[in-house]
Amino acid sequence: MGYRNHVFTILVTMVLTPLITGDEASSSLVIAPHCTSKCGNVTIPYPFGIEEGCYYDDPDNLKDYPIMKLMCDSGSNPPKLILGDNVPVSNISLKEGEIGINLNMSFNCYSQGESTGSHSTWANLITFTISSTKNMLVATGCDTYAWFTGFRHGEQYYTGCMTKCDSLNSVTDNQCNGVGCCEASIPDGVTNITTTVASFDNHTDVPFNPCSVAFPVATDAFTFLRKNLTQKLGFYSDFPLLPVVFNWGIGRQSCLKAQQQGTCLCKNNTICSGLEPDQDGYRCECKDGFTGNPYLPQGCQDIDECKGANECEKPEYCTNIDGGYNCECPKGYHGNGTRTDGCISSSKAWLKPVIITAGIGASIIIFLVIGFLLHWRNGERRIKQLRETFFRQNGGLILHQKLSRMDALKIFTAQDLENATDKYNETNIIGRGGYGIVYKGIIANNQQVAIKRSLKVDPGQVEQFINEILVLSQINNRNVVRLLGCCLETEVPLLVYEFINNGTLYDHLNDEAKVPLFTWNIRLRIASEVAEVLAYLHTTISTPIIHRDMKSMNILLDECYTAKVADFGASRLVPVDQGQLATMVLGTLGYLDPEYMQTSELTEKSDVYSFGVVLVEILTRKKALSYQRPEVERCLAMHFLLKMKEDRLFDIIDKNIVNSQGDIAQIKKVANLAKWCLFLKGEDRPTMKEVAMELEGIKRMNKHPWHDVKSSYDQANDCEYLLVGIPKDDEGNSGGKDSDLYNPPSFIPSLGGGR
């Protein structure tokens, strides 16, 4: 069966599967007789409803319309149930707290390099979150990359995947393995989802595959077939909607708060339970032995177990009670009256309890003795063996051999770091990223440290992992977060860094309260320090390092606003005889080098591009990628280059830093430098050493000869001295003229017109 028919068959199955069969069962789920209980083949249980008074209207709802109000399109055949902005509903589950909806797919089609049509999928169900266990993100094509965006914890979330192939012969049916088809998992708590798909080369290199396609879909409703890679625009534009599962709950309050305020819908014979940590609201369910709709005012009704299957020895022994039943022996008999422990005559009743009691007592004593001995003999030994296994698996023996020849870093025990973080208490979490979780800790000498629980190390790359730890531990640069040590006794390695206490560059650029103190001089100094670090990593140390995830969130600031480059989780060492590496594309959207994304060949110029984006962030105080901005402004780097081309630079520059003519001159030169870093081809970009030299020259533009002298300031006033800012001449404009924007220094290529 083809992909199209296969998915359509499953979709119809989901749509035609009602929650409860029978009109009588359906009517028992609504709150009032006038409420519609079904639309087509879909049952509508309260708190969902169509008519006024038939659905739950959350008093804390900030939207213009009730979240759980539905519509029934009776003009469709069969009638179609609609939620919100014309989103079709296939089923509603009270027990699971799930709602099935149908979405179309995103596609981007070409013919001979020219676009023939495209579409992006989105679904905003407000407080409903897409199920992380019942769905997956899929992209198909031989020249395709897709990304999935939404909101999680109030912030934008991104994930995605890419797939390339040279011919259909390399693609296998039913295998979505990255060749012709790729998958990405979806985290809990994501709302307001959008799926976008694009092509690397407009499908010019793969004419047999005209379309890139992506979509979220229920995990059991998708089968990949390679023949569908040859389908054209019409196939996808007419394709039936795909099923997707969302989670729902009641309101935005917890069970306890709703019960205290008397607004909780969970009434008689029900249990109120909270949702996942990433989702607001609560859910009701019937207690064991009760059935019905737990959201209705009358609550759940008792089940008469005696009318159905039960464990009683005979039907007449069964007595129904609220929430359960009892099996009782008739007069003259003793026992439990169950199939496994039936009724016996009273004349023999004394023997059975004696035998049972003696057997249970002896079994308990034997079990306790054996359990104590096993725990005493094997408990500590097993823990020790497990830690030794992890130590060897994570390369501890190799690291010990190399440390015996150098004083590189300290190896901590698992107990050391458990004590430092109060057993990894969640209150000590100071950061989460794509490569691990970071905890704040205090080690034995009362030194504050940052402890990173990294991703699991591939056993086949242990030696490379150890070599990178040793290289990073020997980096001697005041503007790099220092690696103090590691622990290899746990399943995943733990890395111990120095603790930096003043947040990140991203925090300071995006916090309105911090902006007045975050002057142009401070920003320029931070940019210069980061450029020096990257130049140091690329050219100074014996084994060059490519950072690969340079962004404002990985630039920490201390109390003196000194930059500290962090997070080398994605970094790669560059062999001295190899100028580029073929790697899996890693990094952050908005900062990724387009050439690296297309070729998967990592070079030092990839860091230059990412640093160029950071320079633009410093100049504009805008996020590198934001779906809150208009489409033409969504990608900051592209928007910045467009403004430069239009000679409208100051339309985008942060007004907080335009304080004098001298600042304007520096800003223009930094903008030129950023533009150079953002050239499409890596060979046209500067090296980081050239970038660092140019920034140092820009810093000196407004300095008086006496500026470097700190007069009577002592060491205690260093931070205050740095925050005063760089003094300017009497007119405040000694940094240059407006024409400097298109007159870069001699070693920067011309930026007008051009490439």
Side-chain angles (χ1 to χ4, degrees), residues 26 55 59 68 122 176 180 186 197 261 269 275 420 423 440 476 487-488 510 528 551 557 596 616 621 652 740 746:
S26 297
Y55 50 80
M68 295 187 170
W122 66 275
C176 194
I186 302 172
V197 65
Q261 294 183 355
N269 306 317
L275 305 183
K423 297 183 178 179
K440 180 181 178 181
N476 184 20
C487 172
L488 305 175
N510 290 280
S528 179
K551 57 185 176 181
L557 302 176
Y596 171 41
V616 179
R621 207 163 63 80
I652 193 174
D740 289 341
S746 60

Side-chain angles (χ1 to χ4, degrees), residues 641-651 741-742:
L641 292 174
L642 179 62
K643 290 296 183 184
M644 290 283 287
K645 183 177 181 180
E646 296 173 348
D647 197 13
R648 297 171 60 190
L649 171 64
F650 284 88
D651 287 357
L741 177 59
Y742 292 104

Side-chain angles (χ1 to χ4, degrees), residues 481-510:
V481 177
R482 189 159 56 96
L483 179 65
L484 304 177
C486 63
C487 172
L488 305 175
E489 292 182 356
T490 53
E491 185 176 6
V492 292
L494 302 172
L495 304 178
V496 181
Y497 294 90
E498 66 173 320
F499 179 71
I500 309 300
N501 62 357
N502 199 20
T504 66
L505 174 61
Y506 177 89
D507 298 333
H508 286 268
L509 290 174
N510 290 280

Side-chain angles (χ1 to χ4, degrees), residues 333-345:
Y333 288 81
H334 291 81
N336 291 327
T338 64
R339 297 175 184 175
T340 56
D341 187 10
C343 299
I344 59 175
S345 174

Side-chain angles (χ1 to χ4, degrees), residues 256-327:
L256 180 60
K257 190 170 182 180
Q259 289 168 343
Q260 290 173 343
Q261 294 183 355
T263 60
C264 183
L265 296 188
C266 306
K267 301 300 182 184
N268 298 332
N269 306 317
T270 64
I271 299 172
C272 184
S273 59
L275 305 183
E276 296 294 331
D278 297 319
Q279 189 177 358
D280 296 330
Y282 63 88
R283 190 173 295 142
C284 304
E285 56 185 280
C286 292
K287 293 181 179 178
D288 290 342
F290 294 87
T291 188
N293 187 337
Y295 298 96
L296 295 178
Q298 64 268 30
C300 298
Q301 310 303 312
D302 177 53
I303 299 173
D304 188 350
E305 290 86 357
C306 292
K307 292 183 178 180
N310 56 66
E311 293 300 315
C312 293
E313 186 180 7
K314 296 181 179 180
E316 57 267 27
Y317 292 176
C318 182
T319 303
N320 185 63
I321 60 174
D322 278 351
Y325 65 98
N326 290 331
C327 298

Side-chain angles (χ1 to χ4, degrees), residues 52-290:
E52 192 71 27
C54 295
Y55 50 80
Y56 173 71
D57 190 1
D58 180 13
D60 296 326
N61 179 24
L62 302 179
K63 301 296 180 180
D64 295 334
Y65 55 89
I67 296 171
M68 295 187 170
K69 176 176 172 60
L70 305 173
M71 294 182 293
C72 187
D73 182 3
S74 56
S76 301
N77 187 20
K80 183 169 61 175
L81 190 62
I82 302 297
L83 171 65
D85 188 11
N86 200 30
V87 178
V89 176
S90 58
N91 59 46
I92 301 172
S93 169
L94 290 178
K95 184 175 181 181
E96 301 294 336
E98 294 174 347
I99 182 169
I101 70 168
N102 300 321
L103 294 178
N104 51 23
M105 58 177 59
S106 298
F107 54 84
N108 196 348
C109 296
Y110 292 87
S111 176
Q112 297 181 348
E114 297 295 329
S115 175
T116 59
S118 63
H119 177 76
S120 293
T121 301
W122 66 275
N124 182 8
L125 302 189
I126 313 176
T127 60
F128 298 173
T129 61
I130 189 168
S131 173
S132 62
T133 59
K134 301 285 182 73
N135 303 289
M136 60 183 175
L137 175 67
V138 177
T140 65
C142 284
D143 180 29
T144 299
Y145 61 96
W147 59 95
F148 171 91
T149 66
F151 284 87
R152 188 170 186 259
H153 305 306
E155 298 180 353
Q156 274 203 303
Y157 173 83
Y158 307 89
T159 188
C161 66
M162 59 178 285
T163 167
K164 298 202 72 171
C165 45
D166 296 328
S167 69
L168 288 177
N169 294 331
S170 60
V171 183
T172 305
D173 284 348
N174 302 318
Q175 292 189 16
C176 194
N177 56 8
V179 181
C181 175
C182 64
E183 297 178 2
S185 58
I186 302 172
D188 291 325
V190 177
T191 63
N192 194 11
I193 63 169
T194 301
T195 305
T196 308
V197 65
S199 165
F200 290 109
D201 297 306
N202 298 349
H203 290 263
T204 53
D205 294 336
V206 286
F208 62 87
N209 168 228
C211 294
S212 295
V213 185
F215 45 87
V217 64
T219 53
D220 57 353
F222 169 70
T223 298
F224 171 65
L225 296 177
R226 64 177 184 172
K227 69 178 183 180
N228 295 109
L229 295 176
T230 62
Q231 300 292 347
K232 298 182 179 179
L233 173 67
F235 176 81
Y236 296 107
S237 59
D238 296 336
F239 202 88
L241 304 181
L242 302 180
V244 183
V245 181
F246 277 74
N247 298 318
W248 59 268
I250 301 297
R252 295 178 177 271
Q253 298 178 343
S254 65
C255 284
L256 180 60
K257 190 170 182 180
Q259 289 168 343
Q260 290 173 343
Q261 294 183 355
T263 60
C264 183
L265 296 188
C266 306
K267 301 300 182 184
N268 298 332
N269 306 317
T270 64
I271 299 172
C272 184
S273 59
L275 305 183
E276 296 294 331
D278 297 319
Q279 189 177 358
D280 296 330
Y282 63 88
R283 190 173 295 142
C284 304
E285 56 185 280
C286 292
K287 293 181 179 178
D288 290 342
F290 294 87

